[in-house]
Amino acid sequence: MDAEGLVARLASSVANTGSARLAQTIGTLISSGELRPGMKLPPIRTIAQALGMSPSAVGQSWSSLRERGLIETRTRGGTVVMGPRSSPHPVRFAQLVTAADAGESDLGRPLPDPTLLPDVRSVFARVAAETPDLNLSDPPAATARLREAARAHWPFAVEDVMAVHRGIDGVEQALLALVQRGETVAVEDPSVPRVLDIVDRLGLRVLPIAWRERGPDLRELGRAVRAGAKAFLYQPNGHSPTGANVDDEWLSAAAAVLQPSGTLAIELDNFALLHEERRTLGRSLPETTLLIDGFGSSHGPDVQVALLGGSAAAVERVRQQVAYSHRWVSRLLQDSLAWMLLDPGTRQHVARSAAEYGRRHATARDWLRSNRLDVSTSTTAPSIWIPVADDDAVTARLAERGISVLPARLFERRRAHRRHIHINGGVDVESHLADFEILVEIVDAVAAEERAARRDRDRALREAGDYQI
């Protein structure tokens, strides 16, 4: 079926219908194979006129189909069919991996530099020799040694902590335990792709909260709280993908917004030991703040332990949720992380690595700014968020040159007016200078083409007599 045939089919079957019915009909045509992957759908206005619907109603249908992974809207390519989903899977994360694998040089993912990580092999061996109760069933939610290390590390007075498998697992377990399917959550926008995949899979109603200069938009957060949001999920430090941090003024104002409703603040910090300063709502709202700290970037992905802490009641609910799946973290991994958090030598190593990441990030940021890219100066490692004319076009052209970066659409719940790409500011610019030079070349070329296309459109409008100032 082609685009013209689709319009005729819809006009005969769902004219003057609602957005839900239209989305259901399109979804059925995709699932049956009548609409094949790669097919370009007609413009929203064309569908709206043919069906007697408003463009906004058709747009709602498209949003629903996008959230289910059935269609994708591209900046220049229009809206295309992605195909039926045979089973639930993390759509955004899969697209992120595909984008990252598109080039020989991966500048996109914020992966740690192996040369800056502590040597965990000797730690694992030492802890295994010192732990008398290995291989017993049902490891504790947090070993005694990890509890000691966590309390010394935590940025606010916490009632209870437990171990989870990395930060993303902590987010998923917390949402499973504390929010019911169909309930509303407020989620920063943009956000980590796997976080967006998780909230979709859990069937939560998501209210996106845009990031501003000092933190997530407080007016949007207030509206979300009044709409009944059970939780607010965000990254206060080293936000991925923008690299931004909340400030003290934002924390004070956000606490005033959240406190009356008791809305739970779920804070994700995947770079917990790489910040010069850690900001958290937990100092103002300890009873309703749940902090999840990840250590993959500071201690290595194979440590596979994150910490989740907050009120005793909230942590207990998460602990009971984990009991269903038996996803306990092994004693060996828990005590290995604890040993490294308490060991003076490892702490010094991590501090030196954090300083090096900071230096690299500042160098990359300054180099990009010296080449006329409008990169923010108030960010921290590792993420750098680069404004571009067209994120998909820049990403595709860099992939053709063997360089992978990540387009903004992977991080966005709703498309922002301004486009961006994400790069890892933790890489050594000197080692990747040729890649950075190609990046600037392509960003400039796409911007020039966009300006030329805009001039052509304006000229056409003037010639048609429809141009208005």
Side-chain angles (χ1 to χ4, degrees):
M1 183 186 306
D2 58 14
E4 186 176 341
L6 172 62
V7 173
R9 174 79 166 270
L10 295 175
S12 65
S13 59
V14 293
N16 299 300
T17 189
S19 60
R21 174 73 187 284
L22 176 59
Q24 180 183 24
T25 301
I26 296 288
T28 299
L29 292 173
I30 293 173
S31 298
S32 68
E34 290 187 71
L35 297 182
R36 297 186 177 278
M39 173 186 168
K40 185 174 180 180
L41 296 179
I44 286 178
R45 289 193 176 278
T46 300
I47 295 286
Q49 291 173 359
L51 303 188
M53 297 174 62
S54 69
S56 62
V58 177
Q60 291 176 10
S61 302
W62 264 224
S63 295
S64 173
L65 293 166
R66 275 195 299 270
E67 290 175 8
R68 293 161 57 191
L70 299 179
I71 66 174
E72 179 178 281
T73 299
R74 299 167 181 170
T75 304
R76 294 189 177 183
T79 300
V80 297
V81 174
M82 300 302 291
R85 293 173 61 180
S86 56
S87 61
H89 66 285
V91 176
R92 294 176 183 84
F93 181 65
Q95 293 173 352
L96 182 151
V97 172
T98 299
D101 290 343
E104 298 175 2
S105 179
D106 184 1
L107 291 187
R109 288 179 291 184
L111 302 176
D113 184 340
T115 66
L116 297 181
L117 296 172
D119 182 6
V120 298
R121 291 171 295 185
S122 60
V123 176
F124 289 162
R126 176 172 182 165
V127 171
E130 293 177 353
T131 304
D133 54 355
L134 286 178
N135 297 320
L136 299 181
S137 62
D138 298 333
T143 65
R145 182 180 290 180
L146 186 60
R147 285 182 181 278
E148 176 190 359
R151 291 185 184 280
H153 156 82
W154 221 251
F156 63 92
V158 66
E159 290 183 350
D160 201 3
V161 295
M162 64 177 290
V164 290
H165 293 275
R166 305 186 73 172
I168 293 298
D169 179 56
V171 170
E172 183 172 20
Q173 298 304 320
L175 290 174
L176 281 166
L178 301 167
V179 185
Q180 300 298 311
R181 186 178 186 86
E183 288 186 328
T184 300
V185 293
V187 180
E188 62 183 1
D189 190 23
S191 186
V192 177
R194 280 190 285 187
V195 167
L196 299 179
D197 284 332
I198 287 169
V199 295
D200 285 344
R201 186 179 72 82
L202 297 183
L204 304 178
R205 178 173 176 250
V206 177
L207 298 179
I209 311 298
W211 257 85
R212 304 303 181 196
E213 183 178 354
R214 295 180 173 178
D217 190 297
L218 291 169
R219 287 180 297 181
E220 290 187 352
L221 180 59
R223 287 195 290 269
V225 168
R226 291 191 294 274
K230 299 296 183 181
F232 169 44
L233 180 56
Y234 81 114
Q235 303 164 83
N237 307 293
H239 172 251
S240 177
T242 69
N245 308 280
V246 300
D247 63 15
D248 292 336
E249 182 179 345
W250 183 91
L251 286 171
S252 178
V257 171
L258 295 171
Q259 187 171 30
S261 65
T263 300
L264 178 68
I266 301 178
E267 298 180 334
L268 174 62
D269 194 340
N270 268 329
F271 314 104
L273 293 179
L274 300 183
H275 314 302
E276 293 183 5
E277 182 178 359
R278 297 188 66 196
R279 292 187 171 92
T280 173
L281 281 166
R283 297 190 184 105
S284 301
L285 305 174
E287 289 297 318
T288 54
T289 299
L290 196 68
L291 172 60
I292 303 163
D293 274 353
F295 301 91
S297 294
S298 56
H299 293 76
D302 282 322
V303 174
Q304 286 287 323
V305 186
L307 288 171
L308 180 151
S311 71
V315 174
E316 176 59 23
R317 289 178 64 179
V318 178
R319 184 180 293 114
Q320 294 302 325
Q321 166 59 39
V322 171
Y324 277 106
S325 58
H326 209 68
R327 288 180 57 84
W328 306 115
V329 179
S330 80
R331 292 176 178 84
L332 174 59
L333 292 177
Q334 289 192 49
D335 283 348
S336 294
L337 174 61
W339 190 92
M340 288 188 285
L341 289 176
L342 295 170
D343 175 60
T346 305
R347 293 174 65 178
Q348 291 175 5
H349 182 107
V350 171
R352 288 193 298 270
S353 296
E356 174 62 14
Y357 281 126
R359 183 195 68 79
R360 292 181 181 183
H361 184 272
T363 300
R365 188 180 60 197
D366 292 346
W367 189 93
L368 292 166
R369 288 180 62 84
S370 71
N371 283 272
R372 305 177 308 281
L373 296 188
D374 186 19
V375 176
S376 172
T377 59
S378 59
T379 59
T380 56
S383 291
I384 295 181
W385 196 229
I386 304 175
V388 296
D390 184 334
D391 53 335
D392 285 319
V394 170
T395 302
R397 292 199 190 179
L398 283 170
E400 293 173 357
R401 302 283 290 272
I403 302 168
S404 63
V405 298
L406 301 178
R409 60 180 172 79
L410 300 182
F411 302 86
E412 294 173 332
R413 183 76 185 189
R414 57 189 174 188
R415 284 297 252 166
H417 175 70
R418 196 176 192 187
R419 302 290 187 251
H420 294 81
I421 58 171
H422 174 275
I423 70 167
N424 177 13
V427 301
D428 185 4
V429 174
E430 294 179 359
S431 301
H432 292 82
L433 185 57
D435 295 336
F436 273 72
E437 290 173 341
I438 294 171
L439 184 151
V440 170
E441 171 194 331
I442 289 177
V443 168
D444 286 346
V446 171
E449 292 171 7
E450 184 66 25
R451 289 192 297 270
R454 189 181 304 117
R455 286 195 297 269
D456 290 343
R457 290 194 296 270
D458 290 346
R459 185 182 304 111
L461 286 171
R462 286 195 298 271
E463 292 173 353
D466 295 331
Y467 187 77
Q468 294 182 357
I469 298 178

